Amino acid sequence: MKDIVIISKGSSDPNVILRVGAKTFCTKTKDNTVNPIWNEAFLAFVDNSHGQKL
């Protein structure tokens, strides 16, 4: 029942967790929105070593 109450209010506090290899990036949490826009950039080094698939 608790989830139904949250959905009916039309708001949430979303964020994104991005994992690239062993590196983890997290966006800032956007308060009280169901249509977040982050406009954040992250830099990750991706190495294509022999025997690995990208």
Side-chain angles (χ1 to χ4, degrees), residues 8 14 24 35 43:
S8 67
T24 300
N35 296 309
L43 182 62

Side-chain angles (χ1 to χ4, degrees), residues 3-47:
D3 292 337
I4 293 171
V5 173
I6 292 172
I7 292 170
S8 67
K9 289 182 181 180
S11 67
S12 66
D13 298 330
N15 72 327
V16 174
I17 299 172
L18 172 66
R19 291 187 181 95
V20 180
K23 189 76 173 166
T24 300
F25 303 96
C26 297
T27 62
K28 294 179 182 176
T29 301
K30 299 294 183 177
D31 296 329
N32 300 316
T33 183
V34 293
N35 296 309
I37 298 174
W38 284 279
N39 290 323
E40 295 183 41
F42 301 99
L43 182 62
F45 179 75
V46 178
D47 182 23

